[in-house]
Amino acid sequence: RKEVEQDPGPFNVPEGATVAFNCTYSNSASQSFFWYRQDCRKEPKLLMSVYSSGNEDGRFTAQLNRASQYISLLIRDSKLSDSATYLCVVITGGGNKLTFGTGTQLKVEL
Amino acid sequence: DARVTQTPRHKVTEMGQEVTMRCQPILGHNTVFWYRQTMMQGLELLAYFRNRAPLDDSGMPKDRFSAEMPDATLATLKIQPSEPRDSAVYFCASGSGQGSYTGELFFGEGSRLTVL
């Protein structure tokens, strides 16, 4: 089993839709969690951190469920510009190891 | 505008040749990561430095890969000899952190390697 797993997608949604991705992790001692966004043939960039109590940034909401060992990303009112691959990142090993999921591809269509 | 700089951006080489990729982290960042990205495996951590000291290179094939930080402004990843299965995009990323790393990673644009 991989340390961090994501549904690769693609998720094809119409503009304005709400879409959610999950990411599961295997190490219960994982400490910190992030969502990164990667556009086609570009480098990954931080989208948002994931806090224990959940957090929101505009149309984006991140949640953490430690009991079930997953994090989620919810995108409301999706835009064409949201089309990208979304990578979850888990920090383990006393803060010394950042592990990326393989990413979930989102395609927002007219 | 501070950014991580990687060279070369693209490299095509023949099997058996030596490949060296270079990375200039953002000034002041004390943590440098090398990742490799392929369609099948996604982003794989190859090596990780803090304050120029290697902390983790368990993800790197030791027989052919080596990573160093000769100074705070330069990180290198070398493959010798290269093989077709090394074809991938190699990303360098830097960040700042003391003790446990919890900060944001800034990625370079990547070095796209093709080994024929």
Side-chain angles (χ1 to χ4, degrees), chain B residues 51-64:
Chain B
N51 297 322
R52 295 177 55 202
L55 290 191
D56 185 354
D57 61 1
S58 58
M60 199 164 64
K62 302 291 193 305
D63 57 337
R64 299 183 300 106

Side-chain angles (χ1 to χ4, degrees), chain A residues 23-80:
Chain A
C23 167
T24 59
Y25 60 94
S26 60
N27 189 336
S28 59
S30 298
Q31 302 152 264
S32 305
F33 309 88
F34 302 87
W35 283 102
Y36 274 68
R37 169 191 169 133
Q38 186 173 23
D39 293 305
C40 187
R41 300 181 76 84
K42 297 286 190 181
E43 72 275 20
K45 293 182 179 178
L46 179 67
L47 178 66
M48 60 195 302
S49 303
V50 185
Y51 301 127
S52 297
S53 55
N55 50 296
E56 192 173 301
D57 183 0
R59 298 180 293 109
F60 298 83
T61 300
Q63 297 276 358
L64 167 64
N65 186 318
R66 284 196 184 272
S68 300
Q69 294 184 202
Y70 74 86
I71 62 173
S72 64
L73 178 68
L74 181 79
I75 306 175
R76 290 180 300 278
D77 188 23
S78 52
K79 312 289 185 192
L80 293 174

Side-chain angles (χ1 to χ4, degrees), chain B residues 36-107:
Chain B
R36 172 171 65 183
Q37 187 173 41
T38 60
M39 288 292 291
M40 294 300 294
Q41 298 296 327
L43 273 164
E44 300 174 279
L45 178 64
L46 296 175
Y48 160 45
F49 294 82
R50 177 171 288 152
N51 297 322
R52 295 177 55 202
L55 290 191
D56 185 354
D57 61 1
S58 58
M60 199 164 64
K62 302 291 193 305
D63 57 337
R64 299 183 300 106
F65 284 62
S66 61
E68 295 180 345
M69 272 201 82
D71 63 60
T73 63
L74 177 65
T76 62
L77 180 67
K78 189 175 294 186
I79 308 174
Q80 168 64 21
S82 57
E83 297 180 2
R85 60 180 166 150
D86 300 330
S87 298
V89 181
Y90 291 80
F91 285 106
C92 174
S94 73
S96 57
Q98 299 296 328
S100 295
Y101 185 85
T102 57
E104 178 179 358
L105 278 185
F106 294 83
F107 282 78

Side-chain angles (χ1 to χ4, degrees), chain A residues 67-105:
Chain A
S68 300
Q69 294 184 202
Y70 74 86
I71 62 173
S72 64
L73 178 68
L74 181 79
I75 306 175
R76 290 180 300 278
D77 188 23
S78 52
K79 312 289 185 192
L80 293 174
S81 56
D82 294 334
S83 297
T85 296
Y86 291 84
L87 303 158
C88 67
V89 180
V90 175
I91 296 184
T92 55
N96 288 332
K97 185 174 179 182
L98 277 75
T99 303
F100 281 77
T102 51
T104 297
Q105 187 179 11

